[in-house]
Amino acid sequence: MADIDEIDTSNLAYGRTEWDDHHHLPTNTGLTNEKVTMWAFLGSDCLLFGALISTYLLLRNRVGPATSGPTAADLFDIPFTSVSSFVLLMSSLTMVLAVTSIQRAEMDRCKLWLLTTAALGSIFIAGQVYEFTSFYREGLGFTTNISSSAFYTLTGFHGVHVSLGIVMLVTMWVLVSGGQIGPERAETIEIIGLYWHFVDIVWIVIFAVVYLIP
Amino acid sequence: MAITEERPEILELESGDTSFSTGAFARPTNASGWRAWFFTVDHKKIGIMYGAVAMFWFLWGGVEALLIRAQLFTPNGTVLTAEQYNQIFTMHGTTMVFLVIMPLAAAFANYIVPLQIGARDVAFPRMNALGLWLFVFGGIFLNLSWFLGGGPDGGWFAYAPNTGVTFSPGAGMDFYALGLQIAGIASLVGAINLIVTVLNMRAPGMTMLRMPVFTWMILVVQFLLLFALPVITVALILLSFDRTFDANFFNVAMGADPLLWQHLFWIFGHPEVYILILPSFGIVSETLPVFSRKPLFGYSVIVISGAAIGFMGWGVWAHHMFVSGLGPVGVAAFSATTMFIAVPTGVKILNWIATMWGGNLRFTVPMMFSISLVSMFTIGGLSGVMHSVAPADTQQTDTYFIVAHFHYVLFGGALMGLFAGMYYWWPKAFGYKLSESLGKWHFWILLVGFNMTFGPMHIVGLQGMARRHSRYGPEDGFDFWNAVVTIGAFVILIGMIVFAVNIVRSWLGYKAGTIPQEPADPWDARTIEWAIPCPTPEHNFDYVPVITDIDDFWHKKYQPDENGKLRKIADGNEIAQKGDQSPHLPSPSYWPIVLAAGLPLIALGLIYNLWVSGIGLVLLLGAMFGWSLEPATDPNAGHDDHGDDHDPDTNAPDGDEGGDAEVAEEAPVG
Ligand code: HEM
Ligand SMILES: [Cu+2]
C-alpha cells in the first residue's frame, strides 16, 4: 500500500489536491483503519488481562480464616485442561487456514475452516463449563473464598472473550455462505483472526501461570 | 468536482448485495434543529457537544465545591452532615475529573485534531457519536444516585475495602463503579478512534514530526487512555462483583489485601493525571508561539518530552501510597522515579519560556490564560516534587497540602489551558471572538480567586489540616485561612459568571451584527486549521491540504528574504480555502445514541432489578444490529459513496487505488 507521504508535495499553495470521494486515499501507515483499530483494541485488552492475572496471582492462595474451602489450584485437573488447551491451540491453526483460503478466493474451504475454528472454540468453552461445574460440585463456588473469586473472574473473562470470538466466526460463516463476504473482504476475516490468535495466546499465558506454575 | 460523477457501483462493497447495505430502518437526514445534533456524526458538532455538556457538569461540580467550602467556612460547620459532606466531596472530584476535564479535552480533540491533520472527519464517525453519548449517559447515570438514596461516598479514588458493602452500604458506590465503567467505555472508544485518525489520516506531507504539538499531545493521551482504562476497568469490575455478587476480592474478613485496590487504582490514576494535563500542554504549545510570533522553541524536544512523560507516567503510581506500608525499597524506588518524571515536565516549561523569550508578545486573553498555565502549573509541579521526597510526603499526605498541589496542577494547569483553548479556537468553532475585555475580567478575577482559594491550602496543609474531613475544631487554628479559602471560592464563582456573561453577550452581539464575523485567520496563526474559514465549513477542507513544513500555514505566509529576514509573502485570509465546495459527508445515524442508551439501563438493572438489564440488553443488541446493517454514508442522501463504515478518505481493501491526488481546475489565490 502506498505511503501517503510519497505523494507529490511540490504544490505549495493550499488546495491543489481535490478530495476524492470515490477513490480512497492510502492511509499513512499503509494499514487499513479497521486493522489499526483491532491492534489498538488488543493492546488495550492486554492490560485488561494483565490486571486480572496479577490480581489472581496476588490472591491465589488466600482462602481466609473462616473457610475451609479449597483453592482452585487444589482442584485442577491438569490432564483435562491440557487437552482443552490443545484444542484451543489447534483452532489457531484452523483460523490461519481460513484466512489463507479466503485470500486465495477458495470460499468453500474458507467456510469449512471458519466452522472448524468455531467448533474447536466451542469444545474449549464446553470444557470450561464442565470444569466450572465440577469445581462447584467439589465445593468451590464463586463466593467460597478469595482465591475462588479471583479464579472464576479471570477464567470467566477469558471464556467470554472466546465466546464472542465464536459469535464472530459464525457470523462470518453466515456472511461468506450468503455471498455477502467475498475474497475482496478477506481482511475482515484476517482481523477476526487477529482477535482469535490473541485470545489463544492469552490462554497460553493463563494456562502456564495459573495452572502449571505451582 | 466529484458531485457530477455518476453513481458508483462500489456500493456493493459492503456486502455484495446492494439491498443489504441500505439499512433496516429509515435514517435521519441532515435536518436542522435538535435532530441535527442528536443524530450527528460530524466531529465538529460532537466536539461542541462534549464541551457544552462538560461545562454543564462544571457548573454542577462547582456547586458541589461551594457546598464543601461553605461547610468549611467556619470551624464546626453545620451546612452539611458528615454523610452529605462525604458524598459531596466524592462527587466533586469524580465530576471534575471524569465529567469536566476529560470531556473538555475530548471536545478539543474532536474538534481540532481532524482539522490540524487536514482530515475531513475522524476515522469512524459513528463510533465518535457513540463515545459522546456514552459519556452523556454515564454522567447522568452517576448523578442519578442523588435521587436514589445518596451519592457515592468513598472519595474519587474509592479505596476498597472502605467502599465495599460493609462500610458503604448505600447504592452510591454502585453508581460510581458502574457509571465510571460507562464513561470509561466512552473514553476507550474515543481513544481508539483518535489513534486511528491520527496515525492513518494525516494530509499528504504531514509526517509525524510535522504534526502540530496539540495533535501530538492528544495522541499521547489517547495511548495513555488505551492502556490505563482497562486497569481501572478491572478494579471497578472487582468492586462491582464484590458489591453485587458477593465476591471476596476486598473482603477483609476473608483475608483480603487492601493494597490491591490502591495499586490497581493508582496504576490507572497516575497516567490519568497526565491524561488530564497533556491536552492543555498541547493547547499552550499552540497559543504561545502564535502570540509570541515565534516558532515553538524546541518542537522535537517538546514532543519527545511529552511522549517521555507518557512512558514514565507508568512507573510512579506508588507515590500515592508512600504511607501504606510498601517497605523501604518500594518507597525509595518510587520516590526516585517520581523525581525523575519532573524532568521532562520541567523541560517543557523551559521550552515555553524560551518560546516567549524575546518574542513579540500579544497579550490577548488566550495568551494570558496560557501564561497563567505556565506559571501556576509550575507551582503545582514544585509541590509535586516535594511530595516525591517520601519522608516529607509522610507529613504532607492526606493534608490540604496535597489538595493545594493537585488544584494547582488541575485548575492552574489543565483548566487554565482549556480556557486558553476556548478563547483561541472560539472563532474557528463559532465564527466570532469572545469579547477580549470581558475575557480579561474573567481571567483576572479567576486568577485572583484561584490563588486565594488554593494558595492558603498550602499553609493549613502544612499546619496539619487533614483532607476529607467534614469539620475542624475552633482550637485547631485553621479558621482564618479557611475563611479566606471560602471567600476565594466565591471569587472564582464571580469569574465564571463573567465568563458566562461573555459567552452570552458575544453571541448576542454576533447575532445582532455588532460583533464581526472573523476571517479564516484572525490570530495570524501557524497551523492549518486556520487555513479554512471561520466557522469551519461542514466539510472542513475544500481540497486536501498538502503539507511541507512544521507550522505549514505560517510558512505559506512568511518566508525569509535574501538577507534571511522573515517577510510576509501572503495574507492568511487570502490563501485560506474558501469553504465553497460541498462534498458529501458521512450521514447522521440513530444508532449511536440508541446503543449508548442501553448501557445505563443495564447498569441500573444490576443495582435494582435484572429485568431492567434485560431491556437494556435488548436495546443494545438491537442498536448493534441496526448499526451493522447501515452503511456509514446514506446512499440516498444526495451524492453517493461506498457503503463501508469509514470516512471516504481512507482506503478499503477494495483494490481500487485510482486517483490519489487529482488536480483541481482552479487553485485558490495564493
Ligand atoms: C511534576 C510532576 C508531579 C509530581 C512529581 C507529582 C507528585 C505527586 C505525589 C507524590 C502525590 C501524592 C501525594 C500524597 O497523596 O501524599 C500527588 C498527588 C496528586 N497529584 Fe501530583 N504530581 C505531579 C503532577 C501532577 C499533575 C500534572 C497532576 C494532574 C493534572 C497531578 C494530580 C495529582 C492529584 C489529583 C493528586 C492527589 C490524588 C489523591 O490522593 O486524590 N499531579 N502528586
Ligand atoms: Cu501521581
Side-chain angles (χ1 to χ4, degrees):
Chain A
M1 197 118 312
D3 187 326
I4 200 171
D5 296 326
E6 287 160 14
I7 291 177
D8 173 29
T9 55
S10 55
N11 280 320
L12 273 181
Y14 288 114
R16 291 297 177 139
T17 325
E18 193 183 349
W19 283 101
D20 186 343
D21 292 339
H22 299 301
H23 304 289
H24 292 293
L25 282 177
T27 62
N28 302 90
T29 55
L31 300 171
T32 60
N33 288 350
E34 287 74 5
K35 204 181 241 177
V36 178
T37 300
M38 184 49 93
W39 279 113
F41 170 76
L42 295 182
S44 186
D45 230 22
C46 277
L47 272 283
L48 185 97
F49 280 109
L52 284 169
I53 292 174
S54 318
T55 302
Y56 175 79
L57 288 183
L58 180 75
L59 304 178
R60 60 195 293 169
N61 293 322
R62 294 187 193 228
V63 284
T67 41
S68 50
T71 67
D74 294 337
L75 305 179
F76 285 154
D77 181 351
I78 301 291
F80 177 83
T81 317
S82 305
V83 172
S84 69
S85 306
F86 181 74
V87 169
L88 193 64
L89 260 184
M90 284 307 106
S91 77
S92 259
L93 184 67
T94 56
M95 187 73 230
V96 172
L97 293 172
V99 174
T100 359
S101 44
I102 191 166
Q103 281 165 345
R104 293 189 189 148
E106 298 166 351
M107 300 318 278
D108 283 338
R109 281 182 186 224
C110 175
K111 277 182 345 201
L112 174 71
W113 291 125
L114 281 175
L115 217 51
T116 318
T117 312
L120 291 175
S122 310
I123 295 177
F124 174 82
I125 291 296
Q128 196 171 38
V129 171
Y130 169 80
E131 186 193 38
F132 282 11
T133 337
S134 61
F135 283 7
Y136 184 72
R137 293 231 178 83
E138 290 172 73
L140 191 77
F142 181 62
T143 57
T144 306
N145 54 46
I146 296 187
S147 98
S148 75
S149 296
F151 170 77
Y152 284 116
T153 304
L154 169 60
T155 49
F157 260 87
H158 181 265
V160 170
H161 273 74
V162 177
S163 309
L164 285 179
I166 296 172
V167 171
M168 290 195 269
L169 289 169
V170 173
T171 314
M172 285 304 116
W173 178 77
V174 171
L175 292 181
V176 172
S177 307
Q180 283 107 333
I181 285 190
E184 78 288 346
R185 287 193 53 188
E187 202 201 42
T188 309
I189 310 262
E190 196 190 331
I191 289 172
I192 290 174
L194 285 178
Y195 174 86
W196 191 259
H197 296 315
F198 169 80
V199 173
D200 276 9
I201 294 170
V202 170
W203 180 255
I204 295 176
V205 176
I206 294 179
F207 184 58
V209 173
V210 174
Y211 286 80
L212 294 185
I213 296 177
Chain B
M1 236 349 259
I3 316 269
T4 53
E5 284 176 21
E6 83 283 40
R7 274 176 86 100
E9 55 307 312
I10 317 176
L11 197 58
E12 299 168 351
L13 270 183
E14 172 76 8
S15 56
D17 167 7
T18 37
S19 64
F20 184 75
S21 311
T22 50
F25 300 85
R27 67 190 296 163
T29 49
N30 268 312
S32 54
W34 61 274
R35 286 161 186 275
W37 293 90
F38 275 68
F39 307 128
T40 188
V41 295
D42 174 5
H43 73 99
K44 297 181 290 300
K45 286 205 174 108
I46 289 174
I48 291 172
M49 283 192 280
Y50 263 114
V53 178
M55 286 313 277
F56 169 78
W57 291 124
F58 187 51
L59 187 72
W60 178 227
V63 170
E64 288 162 343
L66 292 177
L67 283 171
I68 296 175
R69 286 321 311 174
Q71 164 75 6
L72 298 178
F73 186 45
T74 54
N76 289 328
T78 50
V79 178
L80 301 171
T81 65
E83 288 74 27
Q84 287 167 335
Y85 184 86
N86 289 348
Q87 297 174 12
I88 297 274
F89 90 72
T90 299
M91 279 304 275
H92 165 72
T94 310
T95 304
M96 289 305 193
V97 168
F98 295 100
L99 305 184
V100 179
I101 299 193
M102 284 172 78
L104 277 180
F108 285 106
N110 268 296
Y111 198 103
I112 302 298
V113 165
L115 301 184
Q116 284 198 330
I117 62 172
R120 189 164 281 170
D121 206 314
V122 293
F124 303 102
R126 284 182 299 180
M127 298 277 272
N128 207 16
L130 176 66
L132 167 76
W133 293 112
L134 283 172
F135 150 64
V136 172
F137 292 136
I140 295 175
F141 177 82
L142 258 174
N143 280 281
L144 268 185
S145 57
W146 294 117
F147 308 102
L148 297 168
D153 54 4
W156 83 282
F157 35 77
Y159 288 148
N162 189 38
T163 44
V165 201
T166 325
F167 304 105
S168 183
M173 285 319 295
D174 294 315
F175 279 94
Y176 169 95
L178 296 166
L180 288 196
Q181 210 72 279
I182 298 175
I185 300 173
S187 296
L188 185 68
V189 168
I192 294 182
N193 209 340
L194 282 167
I195 287 175
V196 177
T197 306
V198 174
L199 291 185
N200 260 358
M201 293 168 62
R202 280 166 285 125
M206 180 167 284
T207 56
M208 292 300 273
L209 284 175
R210 285 183 191 156
M211 255 168 27
V213 178
F214 176 71
T215 297
W216 250 113
M217 292 304 112
I218 291 297
L219 181 65
V220 172
V221 166
Q222 305 317 309
F223 274 105
L224 287 177
L225 282 168
L226 189 71
F227 296 129
L229 286 169
V231 182
I232 195 181
T233 301
V234 167
L236 293 171
I237 286 171
L238 303 187
L239 182 62
S240 287
F241 279 8
D242 265 21
R243 295 184 56 96
T244 311
F245 304 127
D246 297 325
N248 295 306
F249 294 104
F250 305 113
N251 185 346
V252 208
M254 293 285 223
D257 186 343
L259 288 193
L260 172 62
W261 173 273
Q262 293 198 27
H263 279 296
L264 290 176
F265 186 83
W266 290 117
I267 288 175
F268 153 80
H270 192 85
E272 169 73 14
V273 309
Y274 291 110
I275 290 167
L276 298 168
I277 193 67
L278 287 180
S280 295
F281 281 5
I283 290 173
V284 301
S285 302
E286 300 291 318
T287 52
L288 288 173
V290 168
F291 296 110
S292 308
R293 305 185 62 74
K294 273 179 67 194
L296 186 65
F297 184 88
Y299 167 91
S300 49
V301 177
I302 293 238
V303 167
I304 290 168
S305 57
I309 290 176
F311 274 110
M312 295 167 73
W314 292 93
V316 298
W317 78 88
H319 64 212
H320 296 275
M321 304 162 63
F322 280 153
V323 294
S324 66
L326 287 177
V329 178
V331 168
F334 280 96
S335 180
T337 54
T338 305
M339 290 176 194
F340 275 124
I341 202 170
V343 175
T345 316
V347 165
K348 277 177 169 278
I349 292 181
L350 292 175
N351 275 291
W352 292 324
I353 294 174
T355 303
M356 291 186 276
W357 195 270
N360 183 359
L361 306 192
R362 283 183 289 166
F363 287 98
T364 58
V365 177
M367 180 62 163
M368 293 162 82
F369 274 107
S370 308
I371 296 175
S372 86
L373 178 148
V374 177
S375 42
M376 295 302 113
F377 177 83
T378 305
I379 300 177
L382 287 177
S383 55
V385 180
M386 292 171 72
H387 313 322
S388 70
V389 184
D393 185 64
T394 312
Q395 297 301 310
Q396 296 155 3
T397 193
D398 286 342
T399 70
Y400 267 79
F401 197 76
I402 305 299
V403 182
H405 159 69
F406 65 69
H407 283 92
Y408 267 83
V409 286
L410 284 171
F411 195 130
L415 211 54
M416 290 290 184
L418 291 164
F419 281 131
M422 286 184 211
Y423 280 92
Y424 179 60
W425 279 305
W426 202 273
K428 190 49 69 189
F430 302 107
Y432 58 94
K433 283 184 187 169
L434 288 173
S435 153
E436 283 278 307
S437 54
L438 278 176
K440 283 180 184 160
W441 280 103
H442 171 208
F443 171 74
W444 284 113
I445 298 174
L446 201 66
L447 188 69
V448 170
F450 162 72
N451 280 294
M452 242 176 104
T453 309
F454 301 108
M457 288 186 186
H458 291 108
I459 302 170
V460 284
L462 288 182
Q463 286 171 349
M465 182 171 167
R467 64 187 278 212
R468 307 170 186 138
H469 285 223
S470 64
R471 274 166 189 74
Y472 54 92
E475 68 286 356
D476 294 329
F478 303 142
D479 338 8
F480 175 71
W481 287 119
N482 271 291
V484 174
V485 167
T486 299
I487 296 169
F490 281 89
V491 176
I492 294 179
L493 173 68
I494 297 172
M496 288 313 297
I497 292 175
V498 175
F499 184 52
V501 171
N502 193 353
I503 293 178
V504 174
R505 283 199 37 187
S506 305
W507 180 65
L508 291 177
Y510 177 64
K511 290 255 140 180
T514 51
I515 290 178
Q517 160 118 25
E518 295 296 333
D521 182 24
W523 306 111
D524 198 7
R526 313 181 71 87
T527 39
I528 61 169
E529 76 270 27
W530 301 102
I532 49 174
C534 288
T536 318
E538 213 188 335
H539 58 278
N540 300 353
F541 292 87
D542 293 343
Y543 307 96
V544 185
V546 175
I547 307 300
T548 51
D549 275 299
I550 304 177
D551 287 349
D552 192 70
F553 190 42
W554 179 266
H555 287 280
K556 295 208 165 54
K557 298 188 289 184
Y558 297 87
Q559 292 274 324
D561 61 13
E562 321 74 75
N563 308 323
K565 239 180 123 24
L566 266 194
R567 287 267 174 264
K568 187 158 186 167
I569 55 162
D571 183 70
N573 297 318
E574 272 167 23
I575 58 170
Q577 300 187 0
K578 300 292 166 249
D580 52 6
Q581 304 297 327
S582 49
H584 83 293
L585 298 162
S587 310
S589 171
Y590 293 125
W591 302 119
I593 189 169
V594 176
L595 206 167
L599 283 181
L601 286 180
I602 294 180
L604 267 183
L606 285 176
I607 301 177
Y608 293 106
N609 186 327
L610 283 179
W611 284 107
V612 183
S613 295
I615 300 175
L617 200 65
V618 170
L619 206 59
L620 185 87
L621 294 177
M624 283 181 170
F625 185 67
W627 182 316
S628 61
L629 291 188
E630 179 188 79
T633 305
D634 185 353
N636 300 320
H639 161 69
D640 302 29
D641 186 30
H642 310 183
D644 33 18
D645 184 15
H646 48 76
D647 193 63
D649 54 326
T650 61
N651 69 331
D654 52 14
D656 88 68
E657 316 253 74
D660 298 329
E662 293 160 22
V663 177
E665 283 89 44
E666 40 166 52
V669 203

